[in-house]
Amino acid sequence: MFSSLLAPDAGAASPDARERFLRLLRTALAERRFQRLLLNRHEGEDASIERLTVRDIELRGERALSFLWRHKTKDVTKNHPLDEGLALIDGLLGHDFQQAHLDTLGEEVQLRFSRKGKPLLQVGKKAGADAGAAGGESAAPSGGHDRAKPRELSSDSPFWRDLGVTHEIKGQPALVPAMARKWKQINKFIEIFGAAVRKAGLDEPGTPVRLADFGSGKGYLTFAMHDWLRAQGLAPRVQGVELKQDMVALGNAAAARHGLEGLSFEHGDVRERGDQPLDVMVALHACDIATDYAMHFGLRSGARIIMCAPCCHKEIRPQMTTPAALRPLLQHGIHLGQEAEMVTDSLRALLLELMGYDTQVIEFIALEHTSKNKMVLAVKRPQDPTPARRAELLAQLEEIKRFYGLRSQALETLLRVDGRLEAA
């Protein structure tokens, strides 16, 4: 597959600077050392173009090059097969763009053209600690097998500046040092999100993906999900829903400034939301039973993916009676609180499975400084549970409630009120 990417024989005639740059680019891609290519000093016909960023992605199981064209008022992303993308870069160098900067795991390579069109090449070695600094990774030695895992997102996207994640140093985008941890967390979330999208079968090119992010806050994940979906060749319709009006205004202003079609923010509360067809429902850190309302909304909306990171498990704890065998363990308040969290999220997972979802409770790196780091992730199955499996799940639900003396749980109550649980 990669034969066309390999560098020419070292004994061939000495190439000029431009050809050597292209050879280094192909070699970096073939050896999986490529990190980013930035083309700037644009002199093409379209005066609105400011620069072009190219990154290596996987699309439907095949490697591709993702071109992010930054215009003065919008961003445009186009994906190309490797050979097609390389041919396009070849045609742009020295014509539409007069400068190129290539980042690899071991080198920084810069190509620029003089006013007379002469190509000038500079190649510099990176210190090991610097190779992955932009994305928070540490680079492995060139040629090694334990290389840094590539990020799914690019910090070059200009909207990250509006959100305070990046700034510019000498005209180039760079991660704000204080945001390095948050950037890692955002990428971890996108890794989980991307796997769920693929499992749900929403990854066919051109597929419209309707997504609501409740409690979107400043919009880090809302923008990230929209950016990732668009980079996969999908047609995202992403909506951030937030109670704070200033956060809604910030998100809408940034989306409009960068021409991000299919991304919007609005003021609202999931508990007051009318029915809305969705493919993905996200709610992170919804307090106490707001998580149950969010899950119920996802079920009503027909979402194929439900992602919740619960916070504050207040409903179950005061109801719990301590079983005799557990009294020595649960006499300590911290243990009782942890037990209440486990019971609450386990009941939610059982109820989502009853509704026809493959459900997991997994570790999730929280975006804020909090110990709440669990996520309930549910992906719709092609078939609903069999009658025998429904009966088994209902029996498990009732046994847990009996064991702990629980009278009610919000999601179960909501499902019984609208008739969904009886139907199961």
Side-chain angles (χ1 to χ4, degrees), residues 230-259:
R230 197 172 58 160
Q232 311 311 305
L234 304 173
R237 294 292 177 267
V238 175
Q239 185 178 68
V241 183
E242 171 59 36
L243 286 170
K244 297 178 181 177
Q245 289 281 14
D246 57 336
M247 296 292 98
V248 173
L250 172 68
N252 281 325
R257 184 177 300 115
H258 302 295

Side-chain angles (χ1 to χ4, degrees), residues 30 34 44 67 69 74 151 175 179 182 191 211 230 288 291 319 346 353 378 409 417:
F34 178 89
F67 285 55
W69 297 84
K74 63 180 180 179
R151 297 292 184 199
L175 196 64
M179 299 297 289
K182 191 174 293 291
E191 181 183 329
L211 184 153
R230 197 172 58 160
D288 196 24
T291 292
Q319 298 182 50
S346 296
E353 188 174 348
Q409 195 280 326
V417 167

Side-chain angles (χ1 to χ4, degrees), residues 40-225:
N40 52 20
R41 282 179 54 201
H42 181 259
E43 295 183 2
E45 292 182 5
D46 188 344
S48 72
I49 295 175
E50 294 183 345
R51 65 177 177 225
L52 168 65
T53 303
V54 181
R55 56 191 178 101
D56 184 13
I57 65 170
E58 186 170 303
L59 196 59
R60 301 183 300 282
E62 298 288 338
R63 288 178 70 193
L65 293 179
S66 179
F67 285 55
L68 174 63
W69 297 84
R70 181 180 177 185
H71 295 251
K72 292 178 181 177
T73 59
K74 63 180 180 179
D75 296 332
V76 178
T77 300
K78 295 184 178 179
N79 301 320
H80 303 272
L82 278 177
D83 288 340
E84 180 183 304
L86 285 166
L88 180 55
I89 293 167
D90 189 3
L92 294 171
L93 287 175
H95 297 96
D96 290 54
F97 293 95
Q98 303 304 308
Q99 186 166 299
H101 188 97
L102 170 64
D103 277 323
T104 76
L105 284 177
E107 296 176 321
E108 287 186 355
V109 186
Q110 186 164 315
L111 176 69
R112 59 186 180 87
F113 294 84
S114 69
R115 292 184 179 179
K116 295 182 179 181
K118 181 180 179 180
L120 304 169
L121 186 69
Q122 289 180 312
V123 181
K125 295 290 183 183
K126 282 183 176 178
D130 295 334
E137 307 98 339
S138 58
S142 176
H145 296 287
D146 190 20
R147 295 199 179 98
K149 185 176 181 178
R151 297 292 184 199
E152 295 250 30
L153 295 172
S154 169
S155 59
D156 293 337
S157 300
F159 61 78
W160 291 120
R161 289 201 311 277
D162 297 63
L163 303 182
V165 176
T166 63
H167 56 181
E168 287 205 2
I169 299 178
K170 297 181 180 179
Q172 305 296 330
L175 196 64
V176 174
M179 299 297 289
R181 183 183 178 194
K182 191 174 293 291
W183 180 245
K184 180 180 179 181
Q185 294 163 347
I186 292 168
N187 278 278
K188 178 61 178 178
F189 175 87
I190 289 298
E191 181 183 329
I192 297 169
F193 172 70
V197 168
R198 289 186 281 269
K199 183 176 180 180
L202 294 171
D203 57 339
E204 283 297 315
T207 299
V209 179
R210 301 161 299 179
L211 184 153
D213 179 13
F214 292 99
S216 54
K218 198 170 182 179
Y220 298 121
L221 297 182
T222 324
F223 277 87
M225 289 185 286

